[in-house]
Amino acid sequence: MGGPNKVRRKLAIAAWGAPREGNIYGRLTVDATEVLAYVDDVRERTGERVTVTHVVGAAIGRALASEPSLNGTIRFGRFVPHDDVNLTFLVTMPDGSDLAKARIDRVDRRVPSDIARELRERVERLRSGGDSDWEKSKGVVRVLPTWALRRLLWLTGWLSSSLGVSLPAFGVQRHAFGSGVITNVGSFGVDEAYVPPTPFARVPLWVLIGAVRDAAVVRDGAVVATRELTLTVTIDHRFIDGFQAATLAQSVRRTFADPWSLESSLESSLESSLEPSRPTPAHEESA
């Protein structure tokens, strides 16, 4: 499990040094009752194995769309916004020794069942050896000594994530990690933890999903049983302050209170995009 020659261990050694980033760490505990009911409903309606992870991905995507100051990269000391909201999901390989990534694009315009389907297909390719980018990147990591890998990771991260350059020879796409990274430790029974940012990914947002657990809360003066879930985030302070963090938290809370809104809001957005645009009056054109 995670021996010294495994890809994940070698990447960790090559990537991290002494901490110097200005990160913000946040914790959000939400009532998961409605989300669990929604997951059961979507599974029954679509046959797709939707999980809390897919709902969180859709919720974070919409939250980023509502707060675009976090959806971008820093290039030559300036914030440059992304055109789309793309999120990376970390995938544990079958023997638990390595982590791979699967980037899902335009997450803010996807429903959880759609995210689940694409992520399932991506995971199947990764685990079967059919993902050419993952196989190329693994080969590079295994061949290079750690000192050389550290420099290559910095360079490829800067080219891909900051400049938006595709590097097919190394299996690296432009903005390889998108707008942020989501990982789930709840499936391993861990209630909560915080993600240490990987420097070469160069993303401002890391979200970790904990385990759903039974809890007792007070409502209207009475103690009731419920199901709770804790999300933790690690955020690059260069992108965000307390106001933006609160906006993200409020958006996620609204989604957890009414997860069916993920579908209705998308339908409304699609309908409005198909409506013919209103002709601009002549006096507005001249203005």
Side-chain angles (χ1 to χ4, degrees):
M1 295 285 291
N5 295 316
K6 293 295 184 179
V7 170
R8 180 173 62 179
R9 188 67 56 201
K10 197 171 180 182
L11 279 173
I13 294 171
W16 279 299
R20 58 182 179 181
E21 295 83 7
N23 293 320
I24 300 174
Y25 297 90
R27 176 179 177 272
L28 180 67
T29 298
V30 291
D31 187 330
T33 305
E34 293 299 317
V35 164
L36 294 175
Y38 173 74
V39 164
D40 290 339
D41 175 52
V42 176
R43 286 186 177 188
E44 184 176 348
R45 284 191 286 116
T46 67
E48 195 64 61
R49 192 176 181 279
V50 175
T51 69
V52 172
T53 298
H54 307 123
V55 179
V56 171
I60 296 296
R62 283 158 177 75
L64 286 175
S66 69
E67 186 49 67
S69 63
L70 191 59
N71 183 41
T73 188
I74 292 178
R75 182 183 304 163
F76 300 119
R78 294 177 60 252
F79 173 79
V80 180
H82 290 313
D83 294 330
D84 298 306
V85 180
N86 307 326
L87 290 174
T88 288
F89 294 78
L90 297 186
V91 178
T92 304
M93 301 307 280
D95 59 359
S97 61
D98 283 329
L99 280 175
K101 72 174 187 67
R103 196 187 78 184
I104 306 299
D105 294 344
R106 294 177 292 281
V107 179
D108 59 317
R109 306 174 211 170
R110 314 282 283 273
V111 294
S113 58
D114 188 24
I115 295 173
R117 176 192 54 76
E118 183 170 343
L119 191 56
R120 172 177 52 79
E121 294 171 353
R122 295 287 304 277
V123 169
E124 288 173 355
R125 289 202 300 271
L126 283 164
R127 292 177 173 172
S128 66
D131 189 295
S132 59
D133 285 345
W134 169 241
E135 297 302 317
K136 287 178 183 177
S137 62
K138 278 199 307 182
V140 173
V141 172
R142 286 171 175 160
V143 169
L144 289 180
T146 301
W147 64 266
L149 183 60
R150 184 187 300 273
R151 290 165 173 76
L152 181 63
L153 287 173
W154 184 92
L155 179 60
T156 57
W158 180 66
L159 290 172
S160 167
S161 298
S162 291
L163 301 187
V165 176
S166 177
L167 304 167
F170 297 102
V172 178
Q173 60 193 139
R174 66 188 304 266
H175 300 302
F177 290 83
S179 310
V181 176
I182 295 177
T183 184
N184 186 334
V185 298
S187 56
F188 304 121
V190 179
D191 287 347
E192 62 182 87
Y194 288 88
V195 182
T198 305
F200 62 79
R202 293 175 181 260
V203 297
L205 178 67
W206 299 77
V207 179
L208 187 141
I209 305 169
V212 176
R213 58 190 182 275
D214 295 327
V217 299
V218 177
R219 290 178 182 164
D220 300 324
V223 178
V224 297
T226 188
R227 309 295 302 283
E228 285 188 343
L229 170 71
T230 295
L231 303 175
T232 61
V233 294
T234 306
I235 302 174
D236 189 332
H237 200 2
R238 295 176 299 172
F239 289 78
I240 193 171
D241 56 25
F243 177 81
Q244 285 84 5
T247 301
L248 292 177
Q250 290 167 5
S251 178
V252 172
R253 282 192 185 279
R254 284 195 298 270
T255 298
F256 267 74
D258 180 17
W260 284 270
S261 66
L262 291 170
E263 299 183 20
S264 59
S265 64
L266 184 63
E267 290 173 358
S268 299
S269 175
L270 290 174
E271 289 174 0
S272 63
S273 68
L274 293 175
E275 290 179 357
S277 58
R278 179 180 65 88
T280 304
H283 69 276
E284 289 188 10
E285 290 181 350
S286 60

